[in-house]
Amino acid sequence: MLAGLGVVAFSLTFPSTVWGLESFGPWSLVAVRSTLAALVAGVFLLVGRVPLPERRHWAGLAVVGGGVVVGFPLLTSLALQTSTTSHAAVVVGLLPLTTAAFAALRTGRRPSRTFWIAAVSGAVVVLGFTLGESGGSLSTGDPYLFGALLVCAAGYTEGGRLAGLMPGWQVIGWALILCLPLMLAASAVALSLEPVHLNARGVVGLLWVALGSTFFGLYVWYRGMAAIGIPKASQLQLAQPLLTLVWSVTLLGETLSPAAPVAAVAVLVCIAVTQRSKS
């Protein structure tokens, strides 16, 4: 249930980001969301009297922070200035597969041939979809989305490793705290340079990506991951792209191209094969 709640929270991230961009610039949105999430995480860590992590864990926490606290939110916010949420959802639907590939490299375990066949098939589907949607060439937002895949996969992989060494929810909590000084400074600079036009949807979008996606989503995700293990948690995340497609229609009024749901399902099939293949 915890990991499933995390997936639902993540599926709302792109629509909420689009709302947030109505009031804030992309740099301001990322800096403020991370700052708010870090402050809430700090309260939980203080109330729980959680001791500081061992020094040997700080490098891994820095990777988590750089990937899921700073890198992924920033790159996807920049992408969503020109890409629709449905388009971004299909591209980022490759995230579980990318994470599995990073985990294989990080742990040294050799995936089976079936794994790699499915991995390449999924990559072909995603590239074909993005090229088809942009008229045969990559759109402005696609490099940001593919970069987001890489940094988030690294953050998930390192976070999954750390979740086996400390309580899973503390992984994201300390990663947020580690990024807090940088995000405070970035908030001050970005808010002074980017215009702010507050409206209801913009504020709701900011609050959700800060408290819903960044803190609550990652909190329950890492707790669930620690409880049931990375493979089972990854299976639940396969529903995320399709959920985001639903939110993009119901919350943003976007019109799906016929290729979007087809590509999303094809990617999910490829990822499901990789999850079921033997190492």
Side-chain angles (χ1 to χ4, degrees), residues 6-32:
V7 171
V8 174
F10 296 155
S11 72
L12 281 161
T13 298
F14 286 173
S16 299
T17 298
V18 171
W19 281 7
L21 289 171
E22 293 183 7
S23 294
F24 302 92
W27 298 87
S28 300
L29 182 63
V30 171
V32 174

Side-chain angles (χ1 to χ4, degrees), residues 184-277:
L184 280 171
S187 296
V189 173
L191 289 172
S192 68
L193 297 177
E194 293 181 331
V196 176
H197 306 287
L198 293 180
N199 60 42
R201 296 209 315 180
V203 172
V204 170
L206 169 65
L207 291 177
W208 180 260
V209 293
L211 306 181
S213 300
T214 305
F215 179 71
F216 175 77
L218 288 169
Y219 172 85
V220 295
W221 175 248
Y222 277 117
R223 283 201 63 180
M225 182 181 289
I228 66 176
I230 296 175
K232 288 185 178 180
S234 296
Q235 290 288 335
L236 293 175
Q237 199 176 24
L238 299 181
Q240 184 175 325
L242 295 179
L243 286 173
T244 300
L245 293 178
V246 173
W247 300 133
S248 70
V249 174
T250 57
L251 298 179
L252 303 178
E254 292 184 1
T255 301
L256 293 182
S257 69
V262 174
V265 172
V267 169
L268 297 185
V269 170
C270 293
I271 296 172
V273 173
T274 66
Q275 294 296 324
R276 293 179 177 277
S277 64

Side-chain angles (χ1 to χ4, degrees), residues 26-51:
W27 298 87
S28 300
L29 182 63
V30 171
V32 174
R33 76 181 266 185
S34 299
T35 299
L36 291 176
L39 293 175
V40 174
V43 171
F44 274 74
L45 291 170
L46 284 174
V47 170
R49 297 181 179 181
V50 179

Side-chain angles (χ1 to χ4, degrees), residues 72-226:
F72 185 80
L74 177 59
L75 291 170
T76 52
S77 295
L78 292 171
L80 287 171
Q81 291 185 107
T82 55
S83 296
T84 64
T85 56
S86 57
H87 177 89
V90 175
V91 177
V92 178
L94 201 58
L95 180 58
L97 176 59
T98 311
T99 303
F102 265 77
L105 293 173
R106 182 71 172 87
T107 62
R109 297 179 62 184
R110 293 173 179 258
S112 66
R113 181 178 299 177
T114 301
F115 174 94
W116 290 118
I117 292 174
V120 172
S121 299
V124 169
V125 170
V126 170
L127 287 173
F129 171 77
T130 54
L131 290 173
E133 291 289 284
S134 59
S137 61
L138 292 177
S139 67
T140 304
D142 286 333
Y144 291 126
L145 291 172
F146 286 115
L149 282 176
L150 296 178
V151 297
C152 191
Y156 274 179
T157 298
E158 200 62 22
R161 185 186 69 83
L162 289 172
L165 303 175
M166 66 176 73
W169 70 272
Q170 293 181 22
V171 173
I172 188 57
W174 287 118
L176 284 165
I177 295 300
L178 186 63
C179 295
L180 181 57
L182 175 62
M183 291 298 98
L184 280 171
S187 296
V189 173
L191 289 172
S192 68
L193 297 177
E194 293 181 331
V196 176
H197 306 287
L198 293 180
N199 60 42
R201 296 209 315 180
V203 172
V204 170
L206 169 65
L207 291 177
W208 180 260
V209 293
L211 306 181
S213 300
T214 305
F215 179 71
F216 175 77
L218 288 169
Y219 172 85
V220 295
W221 175 248
Y222 277 117
R223 283 201 63 180
M225 182 181 289

